[in-house]
Amino acid sequence: MDRIPILKFGNALLVTIQVDMHDRLATALEEDLTSRIVSNNARGVLIDISALEVVDSFIGRMLDNIAAVSRILDADTVVVGMRPAVAITLVELGLSLTGVKTALNVERGMAMIHDRLAGSEADDADDED
Amino acid sequence: MAGQVGSDVASLVTRNEQNILPEWVELQKNAGTLHTGRISEGELQSQSRNFLHLLRDALTQSGTDTLAAPYEPAKAMLTELSRSRALQGFSPSETATFVFSLKQPLFNALNRDKTLSGEQIASTVWSLTVLLDELGLFTLEIFQKSREEIIVRQQREIAELSTPVVKLWEGILALPLIGTLDSQRTQVVMENLLQTIVDSEAEIAIIDITGVPTVDTLTAQHLLKTVAAARLMGADCLISGIRPQIAQTMVHLGVELNVISKASLADAFAVALRQTGRAVVKARRIEGFALPEKSGRQGA
Amino acid sequence: MPTTKTERLGIRISDDVVRVRQLTRTFALEVGLGLVDQTKVVTAASELARNTLDYGGGGDVTAEIVEQGGRRGVRLTFEDKGPGIADIEQALKDGFTSGKGMGLGLGGAKRLCNEFSIVSEPGLGTKVTIARWK
């Protein structure tokens, strides 16, 4: 079966969804990401959906789940590049993904993850004082 | 029988074109077609000649049945003429006059024709009247449709004009809303705002509702939808310009806006600057440095 | 309401849901819907196709381009011979789900369209029709 590739970027994982996913592919991605967060000890997950023309409730739920699972595993998930038409449709659908962090593009999303990591390292340093 | 009338009139037109055409153009001029200078006499001449030829061809091929295929070229020309006149601001009657004023010259030509009996003339006049009425009404319908298209386009333009998105600073946008927010307008507002967020890579958008007369449950919902959509794309929204009486109404109605809201656009802008890691400081003379705007006087 | 184009597609496996999205997109483009409206109707189609598959045990969709009073639109009809829905009003409420979804399928699809109608007979199947006008 096809799988969506997951790239490692320092201590973050990067997924770029470029195909119109059928449901099994989305479920597989959710499982793959969960195991990769653990095996790579990742602190951040960046999901680029700028190529997606449609996000329905199934994919929305997948994004929500990934965010929730990664939170438990102490990693931040940031969904980046959502298209305006997709955002308007999701809101109308009643899905505002409040548990998911978002950013305009990959660069901003990566910066968000790094900021958070820098922040927690600073906290750690404070603790040691 | 209709075919007979058709070819009779067609040959009548061919034989009498020299009379019919100038007479028709004259009638149109008298009706004021050229008065406003929207079209030139040359244009009117060539439009009239073209239509007369197309009508003659259609009559030859399918009599007076305007639904038949040979009438398509004539109707296409009327469509074009009607459209352009609707755009040029002609009135409906001025537009329809183009077709209706052709009756008289055609009837005159019929009456001058010595080969036809009184009975033949009467029946031909009737067929022609029906034919030209149909074409005239067709012209009016197209005219009406074109006007409606103009109205729809203008409505869209007004909707877009009334929701400008302005850039306040690098990464900070403002959307000053004026007037009531219905669901259709909300979609235009959202599209505009979200597209501008993408284009300018903005992080924060301030929605200023100083110009929104009332905020009821529905308006609040529309506002929140816009905020939620912007957030999905990775931009934060602030709401500003909530007037005291609106704040009271909102509390009264139990309307909640779970977003940062500020009384004025200036306050919201200050928040936005702070969130993007900027601050506004008062310029003052620092020891050893001259402020640039005073430099002109320093030589004196 | 005259129909100017019709196409029928079976919904049997989860790849078919993707095909329904693509078919809807093609029809929406042909009607000349704006980008947001296209996205809305394609998303609604995706929700309903998944319902047909997951709850109806598979079925068919008929996509049509329709014309009414000078307006053009896309109309989609989803039909299945599944268990049907006993309480439609309940099923239209957000959060209602008998399966694995978020419970936004029917109600969400309704909000994304100009027209929505549903006929269901317990034990016989469900028929959902939606339309989006230009």
Side-chain angles (χ1 to χ4, degrees):
Chain A
M1 195 177 76
D2 295 340
R3 284 200 124 79
I4 295 187
I6 300 171
L7 304 177
K8 191 174 177 305
F9 234 90
N11 46 10
L13 300 174
L14 174 64
V15 178
T16 305
I17 303 174
Q18 273 168 330
V19 291
D20 193 353
M21 287 191 294
H22 53 75
D23 294 357
R24 276 179 292 116
L25 194 56
T27 312
L29 175 63
E30 196 179 316
E31 287 162 6
D32 289 353
L33 263 177
T34 309
S35 51
R36 283 287 296 273
I37 291 173
V38 177
S39 65
N40 288 354
N41 197 17
R43 304 298 303 278
V45 177
L46 212 60
I47 306 176
D48 179 8
I49 59 163
S50 56
L52 281 191
E53 289 179 334
V54 170
V55 172
D56 63 6
S57 66
F58 195 87
I59 299 172
R61 190 176 65 113
M62 174 201 80
L63 295 173
D64 236 4
N65 286 352
I66 292 174
V69 168
S70 68
R71 225 178 358 256
I72 294 171
L73 300 172
D74 194 26
D76 250 3
T77 294
V78 184
V79 170
V80 302
M82 187 182 290
R83 298 185 178 195
V86 171
I88 293 172
T89 304
L90 271 183
V91 169
E92 209 68 58
L93 192 62
L95 213 58
S96 38
L97 303 181
T98 39
V100 181
K101 291 190 174 147
T102 53
L104 209 57
N105 50 40
V106 173
E107 203 183 338
R108 291 264 177 84
M110 211 47 117
M112 267 172 86
I113 288 173
H114 284 152
D115 283 355
R116 184 209 174 226
L117 287 180
S120 63
E121 274 158 24
D123 287 347
D124 293 346
D126 287 347
D127 292 344
E128 282 163 25
D129 284 343
Chain B
M1 193 62 209
Q4 191 54 45
V5 171
S7 53
D8 280 355
V9 179
S11 74
L12 182 86
V13 168
T14 312
R15 276 179 282 122
N16 294 283
E17 190 181 328
Q18 297 315 318
N19 298 324
I20 294 173
L21 196 59
E23 214 178 308
W24 183 26
V25 170
E26 199 56 35
L27 277 170
Q28 293 184 67
K29 279 160 68 181
N30 290 345
T33 302
L34 297 177
H35 277 178
T36 50
R38 284 171 293 216
I39 55 170
S40 69
E41 179 158 359
E43 237 176 304
L44 182 62
Q45 287 271 7
S46 76
Q47 280 176 347
S48 303
R49 191 180 312 109
N50 276 344
F51 181 70
L52 200 58
H53 289 169
L54 292 173
L55 182 67
R56 184 193 60 203
D57 297 346
L59 280 164
T60 317
Q61 291 174 54
S62 63
T64 53
D65 177 14
T66 57
L67 295 177
Y71 270 93
E72 287 309 319
K75 280 172 155 174
M77 192 212 144
L78 284 180
T79 304
E80 187 47 45
L81 180 119
S82 228
R83 276 243 159 85
S84 69
R85 290 194 175 186
L87 286 173
Q88 286 163 332
F90 278 78
S91 74
S93 54
E94 281 170 337
T95 307
T97 296
F98 179 76
V99 174
F100 289 133
S101 62
L102 179 56
K103 280 184 188 176
Q104 203 184 333
L106 284 179
F107 295 167
N108 288 345
L110 268 177
N111 283 325
R112 279 193 302 266
D113 196 319
K114 300 288 182 252
T115 66
L116 297 169
S117 71
E119 215 171 298
Q120 277 174 311
I121 290 178
S123 82
T124 311
V125 162
W126 173 245
S127 305
L128 270 178
T129 303
V130 172
L131 170 74
L132 289 174
D133 284 354
E134 278 174 18
L135 291 175
L137 290 175
F138 173 78
T139 312
L140 275 179
E141 248 168 55
I142 298 292
F143 182 87
Q144 180 70 18
K145 247 189 205 157
S146 309
R147 299 297 296 180
E148 277 163 13
E149 280 166 16
I150 293 172
I151 291 169
V152 168
R153 204 194 60 222
Q154 285 175 340
Q155 276 175 339
R156 207 170 43 230
E157 280 169 3
I158 290 171
E160 277 164 18
L161 276 178
S162 61
T163 55
V165 181
V166 292
K167 180 174 163 183
L168 291 184
W169 203 266
E170 202 60 51
I172 303 174
L173 299 175
L175 175 71
L177 284 178
I178 292 164
T180 39
L181 263 188
D182 55 24
S183 55
Q184 198 172 356
R185 198 163 159 229
T186 306
Q187 176 156 338
V188 179
V189 168
M190 275 201 211
E191 280 188 62
N192 256 345
L193 178 66
L194 300 194
Q195 195 52 53
T196 318
I197 287 175
V198 173
D199 295 343
S200 61
E201 300 198 351
E203 291 164 69
I204 297 188
I206 302 169
I207 305 176
D208 185 81
I209 59 167
T210 312
V212 178
T214 51
V215 178
D216 54 13
T217 322
L218 206 62
T219 313
Q221 254 176 34
H222 290 321
L223 278 174
L224 289 176
K225 274 184 187 171
T226 311
V227 173
R231 200 200 65 84
L232 279 174
M233 295 185 44
D236 282 331
C237 283
L238 307 172
I239 290 187
S240 71
I242 304 181
R243 282 174 283 131
Q245 61 269 48
I246 285 190
Q248 271 178 324
T249 326
M250 284 169 65
V251 171
H252 198 71
L253 289 171
V255 176
E256 271 186 62
L257 289 174
N258 290 320
V259 241
I260 300 177
S261 59
K262 290 282 155 194
S264 73
L265 181 59
D267 293 341
F269 184 41
V271 172
L273 283 172
R274 206 157 49 235
Q275 284 189 1
T276 52
R278 299 185 183 92
V280 179
V281 292
K282 200 167 198 160
R284 60 164 197 267
R285 195 179 288 267
I286 301 169
E287 221 177 316
F289 292 93
L291 286 177
E293 67 263 29
K294 301 249 172 108
S295 61
R297 292 183 58 202
Q298 275 178 347
Chain C
M1 213 190 308
T3 301
T4 54
K5 188 177 171 183
T6 309
E7 213 161 302
R8 214 175 154 82
L9 207 67
I11 306 171
R12 311 266 175 265
I13 53 171
S14 94
D15 285 14
D16 290 337
V17 177
V18 177
R19 269 180 220 116
V20 171
R21 289 203 285 261
Q22 285 158 355
L23 177 69
T24 310
R25 174 80 65 182
T26 317
F27 273 57
L29 270 172
E30 203 171 317
V31 165
L33 291 185
L35 186 59
V36 174
D37 288 345
Q38 277 175 42
T39 311
K40 283 183 174 175
V41 73
V42 172
T43 308
S46 183
E47 300 295 330
L48 295 175
R50 186 174 298 108
N51 275 356
T52 302
L53 184 66
D54 291 350
Y55 309 132
D60 293 290
V61 61
T62 309
E64 293 165 282
I65 291 180
V66 284
E67 267 182 55
Q68 192 175 44
R71 289 176 85 196
R72 272 153 65 86
V74 197
R75 188 168 62 189
L76 301 163
T77 310
F78 295 84
E79 282 171 284
D80 68 57
K81 301 212 176 332
I85 302 164
D87 188 346
I88 290 174
E89 215 165 293
Q90 175 80 13
L92 279 169
K93 276 189 189 141
D94 279 353
F96 175 83
T97 173
S98 55
K100 50 185 172 166
M102 271 192 142
L104 291 165
L106 277 183
K110 186 179 179 184
R111 278 194 297 276
L112 295 177
C113 294
N114 301 122
E115 279 170 36
F116 179 95
S117 71
I118 177 166
V119 187
S120 187
E121 197 72 50
L124 292 176
T126 305
K127 179 175 166 181
V128 183
T129 307
I130 58 169
R132 180 99 212 171
W133 297 96
K134 188 175 156 57

